[in-house]
Amino acid sequence: MLSRPQQILLKCAQREAGLSDDDYRDALQTVTGCCSSTSPEFIDRHLDKLLAYFEAILWRGVDAGTLQLSSRATAVFRQRGYWAAKNTRQETSRDRYTGLNLGQAVADLEAKLASLGFGAEYCAGIRKRVTDGRDDAHALHLYRTALERTVKAKSRCAERAEAPY
């Protein structure tokens, strides 16, 4: 399900591409298979595909002389091919957004495990087990989650060992 800022971005893209509400609904159904952007089935990947589709419509209109580019600094479509190139099949906008902090979170969790006495080999074993050798954004999320569980469990064990009876 899309966040409110994502829904706003989509409506701005609709306006920039010069689509009527009927055309917007047709595009939504054709590209995503959903009848509404507020549908729970409408996911980030659908947003990315729809923005790339609207971008193509806009640039065809610009090339044909039927549409003009928005001169606003906050325009959704500022350069040709931006959304199509930015949102590849392997990665969505949200993946990139969360990926900014994901690497640091993983490093912090690995450091916590190291302080508990579990080194890099232990972390490598966890990573291998949960990611099956993949290194995409989803695999990194799985690894972070496994590290969080491990740190929590190992911290509890360490606290019990230190607690006087």
Side-chain angles (χ1 to χ4, degrees), residues 70-122:
S70 175
S71 60
R72 296 179 325 191
T74 59
V76 178
F77 306 116
R78 286 172 249 166
Q79 66 187 32
R80 191 180 296 266
Y82 176 77
W83 286 100
K86 183 175 180 178
N87 299 314
T88 63
R89 184 167 277 174
Q90 293 80 22
E91 181 180 59
T92 66
S93 298
R94 190 171 293 185
D95 291 335
R96 279 189 306 285
Y97 177 75
T98 58
L100 296 175
N101 298 323
L102 191 59
Q104 185 60 48
V106 166
D108 292 344
L109 289 165
E110 289 173 338
K112 284 181 185 176
L113 272 177
S115 71
L116 292 169
F118 301 92
E121 288 181 20
Y122 190 81

